[in-house]
Amino acid sequence: AGGGVVLQKLQVLTGDKMDELGERQLANIVHAMGKVDAVVQKGIDEALVAKLQRRATKTAGEFTPHSIANLVHSFAKMGRRLDGYLLKAMVGRAIATSGDFVPQNVSNLVWALSKLGARPDAALLEALSAQSAATAGDFKPQEVANFFWALARMGVTPEARLLEAIQKHATATAGAFRPQNIANFFWALAKMGIKPPASSALLEAMQRQATATAGAFDPQNVANFFTALEKMGVTPEAGLAAAMQKQAVARAGEFQPQNVANFFTALAKMGVKPEASLLAAMQRRAVATAGEVIPTHAAFFLS
C-alpha cells in the first residue's frame, strides 16, 4: 500500500512539472518507479510513461553516462520498451559520451538493452568495448558477469582486446567472484564459443573459486556452470566435480527437472561418473517432481 501511495504522489508531481525535468530528475523518477513491486507497477499511468520518454528524448543531449544507464536499466527492469526515438537518442548520446562510462554504466546499459531485446548497435558496441578494455581493471565481478551475459544474449562476441583484458582481470579477481557471477560469466563465454586452453590461468582460478564456494551454489548455478564447462570442452578438476556433486545432493530438493537434466547431461558428456549419493538423491527428486518431467528431462535416467 505504501508503494502505491508513493507512486501516486510521484505521478502527480511528475505530471505537473514535466517540462521542468532535467536528465538526472528523469532518470531518478523512472528508477523510483522501477523499485516499487510488480503489483504496484501495474498502476503506472502509461500516458505518463510516454510523456517521460518524450521528455527524455528532448533532453537527451544533457544526459550523463550514469543517467543514460540508470534510465534505460530502470525501463528494462519494469519490462517497458523504449520508443524508437528515445532508443536512438540514448544510443547516440551513449556513443558521444562513451569515454566517460565507468564499468557499472557499461554493464547496466548493455544488460538493459539485451533485456529490452534491442538490436545491437555496432557503433555503440565498438565505443563501449574500447572504453571497457581501457577500464577493465575497474570492473567488479558482477559487472563482468552481467556485461558478458548481455553480450552473449545479443549474439555479440567481444573483440580480442576486450576479451583479453576482461579475462586477465577476471583471473586476478577470481577470489571475489560469487557463484552466480562464475556461472553467468562461463555461460556467456560458452555461448560465445570461447574455449580457453585447458591450462589457462582463468580456468584454474575460477575452478579453485568454484570449489571454495561450492556450498553457496544454487541448483541453477550448478547446472549452468557445468553445462558451460562441457560446451567449452573442459573436464572439471576432481575436487570441483566432487564439491559440486556434494552440493547437488545437499540441495537436491530444490532442483527443477531442467536443472537435473542439464547437470547430468554435462557430467555424462564430460565423462564424469555421478556418485551413488547424487544418483540416489536425484532419483528421489525425479519421483517427487514426476508430474513436471518431460521425456527429454527423464532420458538421462533411462540411458
Side-chain angles (χ1 to χ4, degrees):
V5 172
V6 171
L7 180 61
Q8 186 178 20
K9 290 181 178 179
L10 185 63
Q11 291 186 133
V12 171
L13 288 171
T14 301
D16 290 343
K17 300 180 179 294
M18 185 65 70
D19 293 336
E20 301 173 21
L21 298 178
E23 50 86 19
R24 180 176 294 183
Q25 293 167 311
L26 286 163
N28 288 344
I29 287 166
V30 178
H31 178 72
M33 288 180 171
K35 290 188 72 173
V36 300
D37 64 55
V39 174
V40 176
Q41 281 186 22
K42 291 180 180 179
I44 293 176
D45 182 357
E46 294 302 325
L48 178 60
V49 171
K51 289 179 181 178
L52 284 168
Q53 294 205 14
R54 286 196 295 272
R55 179 62 182 169
T57 302
K58 185 176 181 179
T59 59
E62 303 172 12
F63 272 68
T64 63
H66 176 74
S67 295
I68 295 168
N70 194 11
L71 182 84
V72 180
H73 187 267
S74 298
F75 274 124
K77 286 190 71 174
M78 288 192 287
R80 283 173 165 77
R81 291 184 178 275
L82 277 63
D83 69 44
Y85 296 108
L86 178 56
L87 179 60
K88 182 178 180 180
M90 287 296 118
V91 167
R93 181 61 177 165
I95 293 170
T97 61
S98 61
D100 295 322
F101 269 69
V102 298
Q104 186 179 27
N105 303 152
V106 173
S107 175
N108 284 351
L109 178 58
V110 178
W111 179 90
L113 292 173
S114 73
K115 290 290 284 186
L116 290 168
R119 181 175 299 176
D121 181 273
L124 175 62
L125 291 175
E126 181 179 354
L128 292 183
S129 292
Q131 176 66 359
S132 297
T135 59
D138 296 327
F139 272 76
K140 296 176 182 177
Q142 186 172 348
E143 292 163 355
V144 169
N146 288 354
F147 181 29
F148 269 55
W149 178 89
L151 290 176
R153 196 167 184 264
M154 292 191 291
V156 175
T157 299
E159 52 93 20
R161 182 184 170 213
L162 172 59
L163 180 60
E164 181 181 356
I166 288 294
Q167 289 193 97
K168 182 178 179 180
H169 178 60
T171 300
T173 59
F177 273 67
R178 295 179 178 178
Q180 187 172 8
N181 304 148
I182 297 171
N184 286 355
F185 184 40
F186 271 71
W187 176 89
L189 292 175
K191 189 168 178 62
M192 292 170 179
I194 296 167
K195 297 183 178 181
S199 60
S200 80
L202 175 65
L203 276 176
E204 293 175 5
M206 286 299 174
Q207 289 197 75
R208 281 197 303 272
Q209 178 65 359
T211 302
T213 60
F217 272 69
D218 67 25
Q220 187 170 356
N221 296 155
V222 171
N224 287 354
F225 183 40
F226 268 56
T227 296
L229 290 177
E230 182 276 314
K231 289 185 180 298
M232 296 166 78
V234 176
T235 299
E237 296 171 353
L240 173 60
M244 284 299 167
Q245 292 192 64
K246 180 179 179 181
Q247 176 66 355
V249 171
R251 299 188 63 169
E254 300 170 45
F255 270 70
Q256 298 302 312
Q258 187 68 62
N259 302 145
V260 178
N262 289 352
F263 185 37
F264 271 75
T265 297
L267 290 175
K269 289 185 176 181
M270 291 188 290
V272 177
K273 185 178 180 180
E275 296 174 1
S277 58
L278 176 63
L279 276 174
M282 290 304 169
Q283 286 174 341
R284 288 194 296 271
R285 180 59 177 163
V287 170
T289 59
E292 304 169 37
V293 176
I294 62 175
T296 54
H297 293 160
F300 67 89
F301 281 131
L302 305 175
S303 59

